[in-house]
Amino acid sequence: MPFNRAFLTGAELHYLETALASGTLEGDGPFTARASALLNKMLGAVATLLATSCSHALDMSALVLDLQPGDEVILPSYTFPSTANAYALRGAVPVFVDCRPDTINLDERLVEAAVTDRTRAIVAVHYAGVGCDMDALAGIAERHGLRLIEDNAHGLGATYRGKPLGSFGSLATQSFHSTKNAHCGEGGALVINDPDLVLQAEIIREKGTNRTQYYRGEIDRYHWVDLGSSYLPSELLAAFLTAQLENFDVIQAGRMRVWNAYHDRLAEWAADNGVAQPVVPVDRVHPAHLYFLVLPDPAASAGFRRHLADLGVQATSHYQPLHNAPAGLRFGRTAPGGCPTTERVARQLTRLPLYTGLSDDQVDRIVAAVTSYRVAR
Ligand SMILES: *Cc1c(COP(=O)(O)O)cnc(C)c1O
């Protein structure tokens, strides 16, 4: 059983054929409009700009907020390198804060101590699509005049207190990499919730030109007006993504079934073996992006993955901490107190296979493989 298998809804080929037949293959055609409209509706966003990846959407967020060398951006150490790269590329300093032991999210109780007079933004990464404490983070951002950004790569379809993840930050980013719930192989989006940032984001995405305004007929010619690059995906990718987003319910139902089966059927084994299952606070709805288990110590964790591999189950660890990674040490700074929980979780967390299309029989075999492992005491 592989860890992930990219799911196809069945509509992708038809939409790809439609895009090919239209002859319009560059970006910002009808499928881009369709996918963006679907995302706006799901997220309640002012605008959603499709991008070539979540990494590029994060890069765009640093440009949109005009981050300068020496500015500081608070983010979790337990995340994908792109979350930090985006700001380091502008010369800004990622300031790494530890995660909570329960949700594995940025520990909001540690954020305020990391704020300095150089701090410009806080990036919330919703690990496994379980929302960060957005009320607490929004309060800190408000008190210190900081921008809130959401790296919502995991969180499409999730909510915090009834509101979609991706709708809290001035900006949020989505990933449509093939390991994410909805995908187009490689892709992403910049979600804009602050109307004042739309024009600037459009310029950055269109090579630093106001071409998007020109296409809308708002101006006669377009010019190079600011820094930017080419962040818009081809219509072929937008067509593929449209098929996925239109069938998002099917994708989600399949993932949720597997997640719930693991959660229920592993509970007793987890309790008996000192293993932590995911924690979803009652005011949050998660999107079944990941199913992970945190083993009680590094040796048990390594033994667990070997045991599963021997039984044909591909289970994997996840992020390596950024704060003590070579580039983290070079470009970032660690908040006071360090990131001990991040270091522990990185060594002890294992993710199980989770995708739409995993059969009941396969889930049975994975549950049997997991529960046949005994943690040595
Ligand atoms: C997957 C992921 C990214 C990067 O997404 P790409 O679309 O591959 O660039 C960034 N942040 C997080 C939290 C992710 O999980």
Side-chain angles (χ1 to χ4, degrees), residues 53-55 58 79-80 82-83 125 151 153-154 175 177 180 187 319:
S53 65
C54 182
S55 303
L58 287 160
T79 181
F80 194 68
S82 299
T83 320
V125 180
D151 178 343
H154 299 183
S175 175
H177 183 267
K180 302 297 171 12
Y319 302 129

Side-chain angles (χ1 to χ4, degrees), residues 11-35:
E12 288 84 358
L13 194 55
H14 173 57
Y15 284 0
L16 283 168
E17 280 168 355
T18 307
L20 285 170
S22 78
T24 306
L25 300 186
E26 68 265 29
D28 276 343
F31 277 112
T32 302
R34 208 156 137 183

